[in-house]
Amino acid sequence: YEEGDLLPVVLMAVSPSVIVVAPDSPIQDLKGLIAASQQGAGLNFATAGTGSTPHFVAEMLKLRARAKLQVVPYKSGSEGMTAVVAKQVDATSEASPVVLPMIKAGRLRAIASTWSRRIAALPDIATAQEQGFADIVIGHWSGVFAPKGTPVAMLDKLNAAVNTALKSSELRARLIPLAIDPLGGSRAEFQAFLDAEKARLGPIAKAAHMKED
């Protein structure tokens, strides 16, 4: 679909990226990762392919924190995490629900999350902002869109229904333990979020010469 074919209805939820290393890695936090990357040939950072959220995390670290990282694209986030466990690469990042089981199992160690607040299911993981990197902010978000031409009354009705569901204790009890943060809000707020994300992430994609695979 072209972007203009769809109308934003509501921002549903976000799953922050979590930057992870092997459990026995000497890297303990984000500053440690940056410092280690600036030694010698730098560090290898796995991504889920060109333009993926982990790719944006790596490029943010390079542009905003002067990390020296070699981006290593894999076909999926799962492959990237496996590469960290196998010590084929030094670090990666992936959506919080994806890394949560491996962190709890001790197969990966989280050194930072990348949203504006800590993840409720992983409260001990400090955000990049808390660690002094205010520009390292990104999440895997999901939202509801409708076809262009959908009546405004129907868009408003759908927005209201989703917001009611996201506020329910039943849904929150299912999402939050999975490290998914329910959001919601108005249609205008969702559009503002989309505009801000494009304005913020566009220059990073351009600087990194990201192209569609």
Side-chain angles (χ1 to χ4, degrees), residues 96 100 104 118-125 175-180:
S96 47
L100 179 65
K104 289 193 170 183
R118 294 195 183 195
I119 303 166
L122 296 166
D124 296 332
I125 302 174
L175 294 181
I176 292 174
L178 296 176
I180 300 172

Side-chain angles (χ1 to χ4, degrees), residues 6 19 22 31 42 45 48 60 90 99 105 115 137 154 177 183 193:
L6 300 171
I19 302 171
K31 288 183 178 179
F45 194 99
M60 285 180 177
D90 300 290
V99 296
W115 199 240
V137 180
M154 188 175 293
L183 293 176
F193 171 82

Side-chain angles (χ1 to χ4, degrees), residues 80-183:
M81 292 189 299
T82 300
V84 175
V85 173
K87 300 184 180 179
Q88 297 170 348
V89 296
D90 300 290
T92 190
S93 75
E94 196 39 78
S96 47
V98 178
V99 296
L100 179 65
M102 296 189 74
I103 292 170
K104 289 193 170 183
R107 299 186 65 199
L108 291 171
R109 186 192 324 129
I111 60 172
S113 63
T114 64
W115 199 240
S116 55
R117 56 182 179 270
R118 294 195 183 195
I119 303 166
L122 296 166
D124 296 332
I125 302 174
T127 67
Q129 289 182 319
E130 289 176 305
Q131 297 184 55
F133 301 93
D135 294 330
I136 312 298
V137 180
I138 194 167
H140 303 245
W141 57 266
S142 61
V144 175
F145 292 80
K148 183 180 180 180
T150 301
V152 171
M154 188 175 293
L155 297 175
D156 288 339
K157 185 174 182 179
L158 182 55
N159 175 274
V162 174
N163 272 297
T164 297
L166 290 172
K167 293 175 183 177
S168 70
S169 57
E170 294 86 356
L171 186 57
R172 296 180 70 84
R174 294 185 65 180
L175 294 181
I176 292 174
L178 296 176
I180 300 172
D181 188 1
L183 293 176

